[in-house]
Amino acid sequence: LKNTQLESRPLVIAYDANRFGWNPSSFHSCVDGKGAAIVVATTRDNKIIGGYNPKGWASLGGARPSVAAFLFYVDRRSGKFQKLQKVGGGGLACARDDPGFGISFGPDGLVIALQAGRERLAQSKLGPYFERGPEELGSLFGGSTELVDLKVLVGEYKAGEEIPYSGGVLDMTSG
């Protein structure tokens, strides 16, 4: 989390899908207005993947742009985190901040829609909105996969302390 809003802030788990439910309503009730967030997921074949949303969620619809957003995965060979930066400007970093939808880093970088009947489905396509990294990956996990765990961590703020980007964000980059 070096050079992010969360670098020197204690983290707390705001959302745990296995505890609170694999649906958009539970997700948004836990994360909206909490500011910058880290998404950490584990796939059914034990890959650890996720992303950093520097603007968080607020259920206001539309996108939440930021050049600081990134995706990550744990490289199985080295055991180290590999960061995949946002490309093509900040637009669509968080492509959908919709109360009826889950997580969307870019329209296709990492999408965990949390939709009924496909609650645990995650999809990923790298290249258009997030870099492919040193391994020139096409996806974080081969296109689509089922998740066994999903958590969102946010910074811990004291009562009355301002949370950056906890409300609306003006998006000058989309439609």
Side-chain angles (χ1 to χ4, degrees), residues 74-138:
V74 174
D75 184 315
R76 285 191 174 191
R77 288 172 279 156
S78 70
K80 295 182 180 180
F81 285 91
Q82 177 61 52
K83 186 176 184 180
L84 304 173
Q85 303 218 6
K86 176 76 176 76
V87 295
L92 300 176
C94 172
R96 288 183 72 174
D97 183 23
D98 180 336
F101 196 84
I103 299 163
S104 185
F105 285 94
D108 55 6
L110 174 59
V111 178
I112 308 166
L114 300 172
Q115 299 299 295
R118 303 179 333 187
E119 296 87 352
R120 295 172 181 258
L121 179 69
Q123 297 175 297
S124 173
K125 178 182 176 189
L126 300 175
Y129 293 90
F130 289 88
E131 68 182 349
R132 294 173 178 263
E135 298 174 67
E136 287 296 317
L137 299 175

Short mmCIF file of all heavy atoms in Angstrom, two decimals, residues 74-138:
data_model
loop_
_atom_site.label_atom_id
_atom_site.label_comp_id
_atom_site.label_asym_id
_atom_site.label_seq_id
_atom_site.Cartn_x
_atom_site.Cartn_y
_atom_site.Cartn_z
N VAL A 74 -1.04 -12.58 -6.25
CA VAL A 74 0.15 -13.15 -5.62
C VAL A 74 0.78 -14.10 -6.63
O VAL A 74 0.14 -15.04 -7.11
CB VAL A 74 -0.19 -13.90 -4.31
CG1 VAL A 74 1.03 -14.61 -3.77
CG2 VAL A 74 -0.76 -12.94 -3.29
N ASP A 75 2.02 -13.82 -6.98
CA ASP A 75 2.77 -14.67 -7.91
C ASP A 75 3.10 -15.97 -7.19
O ASP A 75 3.77 -15.97 -6.16
CB ASP A 75 4.05 -13.95 -8.34
CG ASP A 75 4.85 -14.71 -9.37
OD1 ASP A 75 5.03 -15.94 -9.22
OD2 ASP A 75 5.32 -14.07 -10.33
N ARG A 76 2.59 -17.07 -7.72
CA ARG A 76 2.78 -18.37 -7.06
C ARG A 76 4.24 -18.80 -6.96
O ARG A 76 4.64 -19.47 -6.03
CB ARG A 76 1.99 -19.45 -7.80
CG ARG A 76 0.52 -19.35 -7.51
CD ARG A 76 -0.18 -20.56 -8.03
NE ARG A 76 -1.58 -20.51 -7.62
CZ ARG A 76 -2.40 -21.50 -7.75
NH1 ARG A 76 -2.00 -22.63 -8.27
NH2 ARG A 76 -3.64 -21.39 -7.36
N ARG A 77 5.04 -18.40 -7.94
CA ARG A 77 6.45 -18.80 -7.93
C ARG A 77 7.23 -18.07 -6.85
O ARG A 77 7.99 -18.67 -6.10
CB ARG A 77 7.08 -18.58 -9.30
CG ARG A 77 6.57 -19.59 -10.33
CD ARG A 77 7.05 -19.25 -11.70
NE ARG A 77 6.14 -18.20 -12.18
CZ ARG A 77 6.40 -17.32 -13.10
NH1 ARG A 77 7.57 -17.32 -13.69
NH2 ARG A 77 5.51 -16.43 -13.47
N SER A 78 7.03 -16.75 -6.76
CA SER A 78 7.81 -15.96 -5.80
C SER A 78 7.07 -15.77 -4.47
O SER A 78 7.70 -15.45 -3.47
CB SER A 78 8.12 -14.60 -6.40
OG SER A 78 6.94 -13.82 -6.49
N GLY A 79 5.75 -15.91 -4.48
CA GLY A 79 4.97 -15.65 -3.27
C GLY A 79 4.79 -14.18 -2.97
O GLY A 79 4.28 -13.80 -1.93
N LYS A 80 5.19 -13.32 -3.92
CA LYS A 80 5.12 -11.87 -3.73
C LYS A 80 3.92 -11.29 -4.48
O LYS A 80 3.47 -11.83 -5.48
CB LYS A 80 6.40 -11.20 -4.22
CG LYS A 80 7.61 -11.59 -3.41
CD LYS A 80 8.84 -10.87 -3.89
CE LYS A 80 10.04 -11.29 -3.04
NZ LYS A 80 11.26 -10.62 -3.46
N PHE A 81 3.45 -10.15 -3.97
CA PHE A 81 2.37 -9.44 -4.64
C PHE A 81 2.88 -8.78 -5.91
O PHE A 81 3.95 -8.17 -5.90
CB PHE A 81 1.77 -8.37 -3.72
CG PHE A 81 0.90 -8.93 -2.64
CD1 PHE A 81 1.44 -9.26 -1.40
CD2 PHE A 81 -0.45 -9.15 -2.85
CE1 PHE A 81 0.65 -9.78 -0.40
CE2 PHE A 81 -1.25 -9.66 -1.86
CZ PHE A 81 -0.71 -9.98 -0.63
N GLN A 82 2.11 -8.90 -6.98
CA GLN A 82 2.43 -8.21 -8.24
C GLN A 82 1.33 -7.18 -8.48
O GLN A 82 0.15 -7.53 -8.56
CB GLN A 82 2.49 -9.20 -9.41
CG GLN A 82 2.75 -8.55 -10.75
CD GLN A 82 4.08 -7.83 -10.79
OE1 GLN A 82 5.12 -8.38 -10.46
NE2 GLN A 82 4.05 -6.56 -11.18
N LYS A 83 1.72 -5.93 -8.59
CA LYS A 83 0.79 -4.83 -8.78
C LYS A 83 0.59 -4.57 -10.28
O LYS A 83 1.56 -4.56 -11.04
CB LYS A 83 1.39 -3.61 -8.10
CG LYS A 83 0.56 -2.39 -8.05
CD LYS A 83 1.34 -1.36 -7.23
CE LYS A 83 0.62 -0.10 -7.00
NZ LYS A 83 1.41 0.84 -6.22
N LEU A 84 -0.66 -4.34 -10.69
CA LEU A 84 -1.00 -4.02 -12.07
C LEU A 84 -1.68 -2.66 -12.09
O LEU A 84 -2.81 -2.51 -11.63
CB LEU A 84 -1.93 -5.10 -12.66
CG LEU A 84 -1.40 -6.53 -12.59
CD1 LEU A 84 -2.47 -7.52 -13.03
CD2 LEU A 84 -0.14 -6.66 -13.44
N GLN A 85 -0.98 -1.66 -12.63
CA GLN A 85 -1.45 -0.29 -12.57
C GLN A 85 -2.56 0.00 -13.57
O GLN A 85 -2.70 -0.68 -14.59
CB GLN A 85 -0.27 0.64 -12.80
CG GLN A 85 0.80 0.37 -11.79
CD GLN A 85 1.51 1.60 -11.30
OE1 GLN A 85 1.15 2.70 -11.62
NE2 GLN A 85 2.53 1.39 -10.51
N LYS A 86 -3.31 1.04 -13.28
CA LYS A 86 -4.35 1.54 -14.18
C LYS A 86 -3.66 2.13 -15.40
O LYS A 86 -2.65 2.80 -15.28
CB LYS A 86 -5.17 2.62 -13.44
CG LYS A 86 -6.22 3.30 -14.27
CD LYS A 86 -7.42 2.42 -14.47
CE LYS A 86 -8.52 3.13 -15.23
NZ LYS A 86 -8.30 3.27 -16.65
N VAL A 87 -4.19 1.86 -16.59
CA VAL A 87 -3.66 2.44 -17.83
C VAL A 87 -4.75 3.24 -18.53
O VAL A 87 -5.93 3.06 -18.27
CB VAL A 87 -3.10 1.35 -18.79
CG1 VAL A 87 -1.91 0.65 -18.17
CG2 VAL A 87 -4.16 0.35 -19.18
N GLY A 88 -4.32 4.16 -19.41
CA GLY A 88 -5.29 4.93 -20.19
C GLY A 88 -5.99 6.02 -19.41
O GLY A 88 -7.13 6.36 -19.72
N GLY A 89 -5.36 6.58 -18.39
CA GLY A 89 -5.98 7.62 -17.59
C GLY A 89 -6.82 7.04 -16.47
O GLY A 89 -6.93 5.83 -16.31
N GLY A 90 -7.43 7.92 -15.70
CA GLY A 90 -8.16 7.50 -14.52
C GLY A 90 -9.59 7.04 -14.75
O GLY A 90 -10.20 6.45 -13.88
N GLY A 91 -10.14 7.33 -15.93
CA GLY A 91 -11.53 6.99 -16.19
C GLY A 91 -11.84 5.52 -15.99
O GLY A 91 -11.03 4.65 -16.31
N LEU A 92 -12.98 5.24 -15.42
CA LEU A 92 -13.50 3.89 -15.20
C LEU A 92 -12.63 3.04 -14.28
O LEU A 92 -12.67 1.82 -14.35
CB LEU A 92 -13.74 3.17 -16.53
CG LEU A 92 -14.75 3.82 -17.46
CD1 LEU A 92 -14.82 3.05 -18.78
CD2 LEU A 92 -16.12 3.90 -16.82
N ALA A 93 -11.84 3.68 -13.40
CA ALA A 93 -11.06 2.90 -12.43
C ALA A 93 -12.01 2.02 -11.62
O ALA A 93 -11.79 0.83 -11.46
CB ALA A 93 -10.27 3.83 -11.51
N CYS A 94 -13.04 2.61 -11.10
CA CYS A 94 -14.16 1.88 -10.51
C CYS A 94 -15.32 2.15 -11.46
O CYS A 94 -15.91 3.23 -11.45
CB CYS A 94 -14.47 2.37 -9.10
SG CYS A 94 -15.98 1.66 -8.41
N ALA A 95 -15.60 1.21 -12.35
CA ALA A 95 -16.51 1.46 -13.46
C ALA A 95 -17.97 1.58 -13.06
O ALA A 95 -18.73 2.25 -13.73
CB ALA A 95 -16.35 0.36 -14.52
N ARG A 96 -18.36 0.94 -11.97
CA ARG A 96 -19.77 0.99 -11.54
C ARG A 96 -19.86 1.14 -10.03
O ARG A 96 -19.49 0.25 -9.29
CB ARG A 96 -20.51 -0.28 -11.95
CG ARG A 96 -20.78 -0.39 -13.41
CD ARG A 96 -21.56 -1.62 -13.74
NE ARG A 96 -22.96 -1.50 -13.31
CZ ARG A 96 -23.88 -2.42 -13.60
NH1 ARG A 96 -23.55 -3.49 -14.29
NH2 ARG A 96 -25.11 -2.26 -13.20
N ASP A 97 -20.38 2.28 -9.61
CA ASP A 97 -20.66 2.49 -8.20
C ASP A 97 -22.18 2.48 -8.04
O ASP A 97 -22.81 3.46 -7.68
CB ASP A 97 -20.06 3.81 -7.72
CG ASP A 97 -20.27 4.05 -6.25
OD1 ASP A 97 -20.47 3.07 -5.50
OD2 ASP A 97 -20.27 5.23 -5.83
N ASP A 98 -22.76 1.35 -8.37
CA ASP A 98 -24.20 1.17 -8.46
C ASP A 98 -24.67 0.34 -7.28
O ASP A 98 -24.12 -0.73 -7.01
CB ASP A 98 -24.48 0.47 -9.79
CG ASP A 98 -25.93 0.20 -10.06
OD1 ASP A 98 -26.74 0.12 -9.11
OD2 ASP A 98 -26.27 0.06 -11.24
N PRO A 99 -25.71 0.77 -6.54
CA PRO A 99 -26.15 0.01 -5.36
C PRO A 99 -26.65 -1.40 -5.68
O PRO A 99 -26.69 -2.25 -4.80
CB PRO A 99 -27.28 0.87 -4.77
CG PRO A 99 -27.72 1.76 -5.88
CD PRO A 99 -26.53 1.97 -6.75
N GLY A 100 -26.98 -1.68 -6.93
CA GLY A 100 -27.44 -3.01 -7.32
C GLY A 100 -26.35 -3.87 -7.94
O GLY A 100 -26.63 -4.90 -8.55
N PHE A 101 -25.10 -3.43 -7.79
CA PHE A 101 -23.97 -4.13 -8.42
C PHE A 101 -22.83 -4.19 -7.42
O PHE A 101 -22.68 -3.31 -6.57
CB PHE A 101 -23.54 -3.37 -9.68
CG PHE A 101 -22.66 -4.15 -10.61
CD1 PHE A 101 -23.21 -5.03 -11.53
CD2 PHE A 101 -21.29 -4.00 -10.57
CE1 PHE A 101 -22.40 -5.75 -12.40
CE2 PHE A 101 -20.47 -4.71 -11.43
CZ PHE A 101 -21.04 -5.59 -12.35
N GLY A 102 -21.97 -5.17 -7.55
CA GLY A 102 -20.83 -5.34 -6.65
C GLY A 102 -19.63 -4.53 -7.07
O GLY A 102 -19.67 -3.31 -7.16
N ILE A 103 -18.53 -5.20 -7.40
CA ILE A 103 -17.22 -4.60 -7.62
C ILE A 103 -16.86 -4.63 -9.10
O ILE A 103 -17.00 -5.66 -9.75
CB ILE A 103 -16.16 -5.39 -6.81
CG1 ILE A 103 -16.50 -5.31 -5.32
CG2 ILE A 103 -14.75 -4.90 -7.11
CD1 ILE A 103 -15.78 -6.36 -4.48
N SER A 104 -16.36 -3.51 -9.61
CA SER A 104 -15.94 -3.45 -11.01
C SER A 104 -14.74 -2.53 -11.15
O SER A 104 -14.87 -1.31 -11.15
CB SER A 104 -17.09 -2.95 -11.88
OG SER A 104 -16.73 -2.99 -13.23
N PHE A 105 -13.56 -3.12 -11.24
CA PHE A 105 -12.34 -2.37 -11.53
C PHE A 105 -12.22 -2.30 -13.04
O PHE A 105 -11.92 -3.31 -13.69
CB PHE A 105 -11.11 -3.06 -10.94
CG PHE A 105 -10.99 -2.91 -9.45
CD1 PHE A 105 -11.50 -3.87 -8.59
CD2 PHE A 105 -10.37 -1.79 -8.90
CE1 PHE A 105 -11.40 -3.73 -7.22
CE2 PHE A 105 -10.26 -1.65 -7.53
CZ PHE A 105 -10.78 -2.61 -6.68
N GLY A 106 -12.47 -1.12 -13.61
CA GLY A 106 -12.60 -1.02 -15.06
C GLY A 106 -13.83 -1.82 -15.46
O GLY A 106 -14.41 -2.55 -14.65
N PRO A 107 -14.24 -1.71 -16.72
CA PRO A 107 -15.39 -2.50 -17.15
C PRO A 107 -15.09 -3.99 -17.19
O PRO A 107 -16.01 -4.81 -17.20
CB PRO A 107 -15.71 -1.97 -18.54
CG PRO A 107 -14.66 -1.00 -18.90
CD PRO A 107 -13.77 -0.77 -17.72
N ASP A 108 -13.77 -4.36 -17.18
CA ASP A 108 -13.43 -5.77 -17.32
C ASP A 108 -12.14 -6.19 -16.62
O ASP A 108 -11.79 -7.36 -16.65
CB ASP A 108 -13.33 -6.13 -18.80
CG ASP A 108 -12.35 -5.26 -19.59
OD1 ASP A 108 -11.64 -4.43 -18.97
OD2 ASP A 108 -12.29 -5.41 -20.82
N GLY A 109 -11.45 -5.29 -15.95
CA GLY A 109 -10.19 -5.63 -15.28
C GLY A 109 -10.38 -6.67 -14.19
O GLY A 109 -9.72 -7.70 -14.16
N LEU A 110 -11.33 -6.41 -13.29
CA LEU A 110 -11.76 -7.36 -12.26
C LEU A 110 -13.19 -7.02 -11.93
O LEU A 110 -13.48 -5.93 -11.41
CB LEU A 110 -10.88 -7.28 -11.01
CG LEU A 110 -11.35 -8.15 -9.83
CD1 LEU A 110 -11.40 -9.64 -10.21
CD2 LEU A 110 -10.45 -7.94 -8.61
N VAL A 111 -14.10 -7.93 -12.25
CA VAL A 111 -15.52 -7.71 -12.00
C VAL A 111 -16.05 -8.83 -11.12
O VAL A 111 -15.94 -10.01 -11.46
CB VAL A 111 -16.32 -7.64 -13.33
CG1 VAL A 111 -17.80 -7.46 -13.05
CG2 VAL A 111 -15.79 -6.52 -14.22
N ILE A 112 -16.60 -8.45 -9.99
CA ILE A 112 -17.26 -9.36 -9.06
C ILE A 112 -18.64 -8.76 -8.82
O ILE A 112 -18.85 -7.97 -7.90
CB ILE A 112 -16.47 -9.50 -7.73
CG1 ILE A 112 -15.00 -9.85 -8.00
CG2 ILE A 112 -17.12 -10.55 -6.83
CD1 ILE A 112 -14.08 -9.68 -6.80
N ALA A 113 -19.58 -9.10 -9.67
CA ALA A 113 -20.88 -8.43 -9.70
C ALA A 113 -21.77 -8.76 -8.52
O ALA A 113 -22.69 -8.01 -8.21
CB ALA A 113 -21.59 -8.76 -11.01
N LEU A 114 -21.56 -9.89 -7.87
CA LEU A 114 -22.38 -10.33 -6.74
C LEU A 114 -23.85 -10.48 -7.11
O LEU A 114 -24.74 -10.24 -6.29
CB LEU A 114 -22.22 -9.37 -5.54
CG LEU A 114 -20.80 -9.22 -4.98
CD1 LEU A 114 -20.74 -8.10 -3.95
CD2 LEU A 114 -20.33 -10.53 -4.37
N GLN A 115 -24.13 -10.86 -8.35
CA GLN A 115 -25.50 -10.99 -8.83
C GLN A 115 -26.09 -12.35 -8.48
O GLN A 115 -25.39 -13.36 -8.46
CB GLN A 115 -25.54 -10.77 -10.34
CG GLN A 115 -25.06 -9.39 -10.76
CD GLN A 115 -25.89 -8.27 -10.19
OE1 GLN A 115 -27.06 -8.14 -10.51
NE2 GLN A 115 -25.30 -7.46 -9.32
N ALA A 116 -27.40 -12.38 -8.22
CA ALA A 116 -28.11 -13.60 -7.84
C ALA A 116 -27.86 -14.72 -8.85
O ALA A 116 -27.94 -14.50 -10.06
CB ALA A 116 -29.61 -13.33 -7.72
N GLY A 117 -27.52 -15.89 -8.34
CA GLY A 117 -27.24 -17.04 -9.18
C GLY A 117 -25.79 -17.12 -9.63
O GLY A 117 -25.34 -18.16 -10.09
N ARG A 118 -25.07 -16.00 -9.52
CA ARG A 118 -23.65 -15.95 -9.90
C ARG A 118 -22.87 -15.13 -8.87
O ARG A 118 -21.93 -14.43 -9.20
CB ARG A 118 -23.50 -15.31 -11.28
CG ARG A 118 -24.27 -16.00 -12.36
CD ARG A 118 -24.12 -15.33 -13.69
NE ARG A 118 -23.83 -13.90 -13.55
CZ ARG A 118 -23.79 -13.05 -14.54
NH1 ARG A 118 -24.01 -13.43 -15.76
NH2 ARG A 118 -23.53 -11.77 -14.34
N GLU A 119 -23.29 -15.24 -7.63
CA GLU A 119 -22.75 -14.41 -6.56
C GLU A 119 -21.24 -14.49 -6.43
O GLU A 119 -20.59 -13.50 -6.15
CB GLU A 119 -23.36 -14.82 -5.21
CG GLU A 119 -24.83 -14.60 -5.09
CD GLU A 119 -25.67 -15.77 -5.59
OE1 GLU A 119 -25.11 -16.72 -6.19
OE2 GLU A 119 -26.89 -15.74 -5.39
N ARG A 120 -20.69 -15.66 -6.63
CA ARG A 120 -19.25 -15.88 -6.41
C ARG A 120 -18.43 -15.82 -7.70
O ARG A 120 -17.23 -16.06 -7.68
CB ARG A 120 -19.04 -17.23 -5.73
CG ARG A 120 -19.63 -17.27 -4.33
CD ARG A 120 -19.57 -18.67 -3.76
NE ARG A 120 -20.15 -18.73 -2.44
CZ ARG A 120 -19.45 -18.76 -1.30
NH1 ARG A 120 -18.15 -18.77 -1.33
NH2 ARG A 120 -20.07 -18.82 -0.15
N LEU A 121 -19.06 -15.48 -8.80
CA LEU A 121 -18.36 -15.42 -10.09
C LEU A 121 -17.51 -14.15 -10.18
O LEU A 121 -17.98 -13.05 -9.90
CB LEU A 121 -19.36 -15.44 -11.24
CG LEU A 121 -18.75 -15.36 -12.64
CD1 LEU A 121 -17.99 -16.64 -12.97
CD2 LEU A 121 -19.83 -15.09 -13.67
N ALA A 122 -16.27 -14.33 -10.57
CA ALA A 122 -15.37 -13.21 -10.83
C ALA A 122 -14.87 -13.33 -12.26
O ALA A 122 -14.63 -14.44 -12.75
CB ALA A 122 -14.19 -13.21 -9.86
N GLN A 123 -14.73 -12.20 -12.94
CA GLN A 123 -14.23 -12.17 -14.30
C GLN A 123 -13.08 -11.18 -14.39
O GLN A 123 -13.06 -10.19 -13.66
CB GLN A 123 -15.34 -11.79 -15.28
CG GLN A 123 -16.46 -12.80 -15.29
CD GLN A 123 -17.61 -12.36 -16.15
OE1 GLN A 123 -18.24 -11.34 -15.89
NE2 GLN A 123 -17.87 -13.13 -17.18
N SER A 124 -12.16 -11.44 -15.31
CA SER A 124 -11.00 -10.55 -15.44
C SER A 124 -10.47 -10.58 -16.87
O SER A 124 -10.30 -11.64 -17.46
CB SER A 124 -9.88 -10.98 -14.49
OG SER A 124 -8.71 -10.24 -14.72
N LYS A 125 -10.22 -9.38 -17.38
CA LYS A 125 -9.53 -9.22 -18.66
C LYS A 125 -8.56 -8.05 -18.47
O LYS A 125 -8.96 -6.94 -18.14
CB LYS A 125 -10.52 -8.89 -19.78
CG LYS A 125 -9.84 -8.67 -21.11
CD LYS A 125 -10.84 -8.31 -22.19
CE LYS A 125 -10.13 -8.00 -23.48
NZ LYS A 125 -11.06 -7.46 -24.47
N LEU A 126 -7.29 -8.33 -18.67
CA LEU A 126 -6.26 -7.31 -18.49
C LEU A 126 -5.85 -6.73 -19.84
O LEU A 126 -5.96 -7.38 -20.87
CB LEU A 126 -5.04 -7.92 -17.78
CG LEU A 126 -5.32 -8.50 -16.40
CD1 LEU A 126 -4.07 -9.17 -15.85
CD2 LEU A 126 -5.82 -7.42 -15.45
N GLY A 127 -5.37 -5.50 -19.80
CA GLY A 127 -4.88 -4.86 -21.01
C GLY A 127 -5.56 -3.53 -21.29
O GLY A 127 -4.91 -2.50 -21.27
N PRO A 128 -6.86 -3.52 -21.53
CA PRO A 128 -7.50 -2.25 -21.87
C PRO A 128 -7.50 -1.22 -20.74
O PRO A 128 -7.32 -0.03 -20.99
CB PRO A 128 -8.94 -2.64 -22.22
CG PRO A 128 -8.88 -4.09 -22.57
CD PRO A 128 -7.76 -4.65 -21.74
N TYR A 129 -7.72 -1.63 -19.48
CA TYR A 129 -7.82 -0.68 -18.38
C TYR A 129 -6.78 -0.88 -17.28
O TYR A 129 -6.53 0.03 -16.51
CB TYR A 129 -9.23 -0.72 -17.77
CG TYR A 129 -10.26 -0.20 -18.75
CD1 TYR A 129 -10.89 -1.05 -19.64
CD2 TYR A 129 -10.55 1.15 -18.82
CE1 TYR A 129 -11.81 -0.57 -20.56
CE2 TYR A 129 -11.45 1.65 -19.73
CZ TYR A 129 -12.08 0.78 -20.60
OH TYR A 129 -12.98 1.27 -21.51
N PHE A 130 -6.23 -2.07 -17.18
CA PHE A 130 -5.17 -2.35 -16.23
C PHE A 130 -4.08 -3.13 -16.94
O PHE A 130 -4.36 -3.99 -17.77
CB PHE A 130 -5.71 -3.15 -15.02
CG PHE A 130 -6.58 -2.32 -14.14
CD1 PHE A 130 -7.94 -2.23 -14.37
CD2 PHE A 130 -6.04 -1.61 -13.08
CE1 PHE A 130 -8.76 -1.43 -13.57
CE2 PHE A 130 -6.84 -0.82 -12.28
CZ PHE A 130 -8.20 -0.73 -12.53
N GLU A 131 -2.83 -2.80 -16.60
CA GLU A 131 -1.70 -3.42 -17.30
C GLU A 131 -1.68 -4.94 -17.12
O GLU A 131 -2.27 -5.48 -16.20
CB GLU A 131 -0.39 -2.79 -16.85
CG GLU A 131 0.01 -3.08 -15.43
CD GLU A 131 1.31 -2.39 -15.01
OE1 GLU A 131 2.02 -1.85 -15.88
OE2 GLU A 131 1.61 -2.41 -13.82
N ARG A 132 -0.95 -5.59 -18.02
CA ARG A 132 -0.84 -7.05 -18.01
C ARG A 132 0.30 -7.55 -17.13
O ARG A 132 0.39 -8.74 -16.85
CB ARG A 132 -0.63 -7.56 -19.43
CG ARG A 132 -1.81 -7.32 -20.33
CD ARG A 132 -1.45 -7.72 -21.76
NE ARG A 132 -2.55 -7.54 -22.65
CZ ARG A 132 -3.37 -8.52 -23.02
NH1 ARG A 132 -3.19 -9.73 -22.56
NH2 ARG A 132 -4.36 -8.28 -23.84
N GLY A 133 1.17 -6.67 -16.70
CA GLY A 133 2.27 -7.02 -15.82
C GLY A 133 3.41 -7.71 -16.54
O GLY A 133 3.38 -7.92 -17.75
N PRO A 134 4.45 -8.08 -15.78
CA PRO A 134 5.66 -8.66 -16.38
C PRO A 134 5.42 -10.01 -17.07
O PRO A 134 6.18 -10.40 -17.95
CB PRO A 134 6.61 -8.82 -15.19
CG PRO A 134 5.75 -8.81 -13.99
CD PRO A 134 4.55 -7.98 -14.33
N GLU A 135 4.35 -10.69 -16.68
CA GLU A 135 4.05 -11.99 -17.30
C GLU A 135 3.13 -11.86 -18.51
O GLU A 135 2.76 -12.87 -19.12
CB GLU A 135 3.40 -12.91 -16.26
CG GLU A 135 4.31 -13.21 -15.08
CD GLU A 135 3.58 -13.99 -14.01
OE1 GLU A 135 3.23 -15.15 -14.29
OE2 GLU A 135 3.36 -13.43 -12.93
N GLU A 136 2.76 -10.60 -18.85
CA GLU A 136 1.85 -10.35 -19.99
C GLU A 136 0.57 -11.17 -19.87
O GLU A 136 0.11 -11.80 -20.83
CB GLU A 136 2.56 -10.63 -21.32
CG GLU A 136 3.58 -9.59 -21.70
CD GLU A 136 2.98 -8.21 -21.95
OE1 GLU A 136 1.93 -8.11 -22.60
OE2 GLU A 136 3.57 -7.22 -21.47
N LEU A 137 -0.03 -11.17 -18.68
CA LEU A 137 -1.25 -11.92 -18.43
C LEU A 137 -2.43 -11.35 -19.21
O LEU A 137 -2.54 -10.13 -19.37
CB LEU A 137 -1.60 -11.89 -16.94
CG LEU A 137 -0.59 -12.49 -15.97
CD1 LEU A 137 -1.05 -12.26 -14.53
CD2 LEU A 137 -0.41 -13.96 -16.25
N GLY A 138 -3.32 -12.20 -19.63
CA GLY A 138 -4.56 -11.76 -20.26
C GLY A 138 -5.66 -11.60 -19.23
O GLY A 138 -6.67 -10.94 -19.47
#
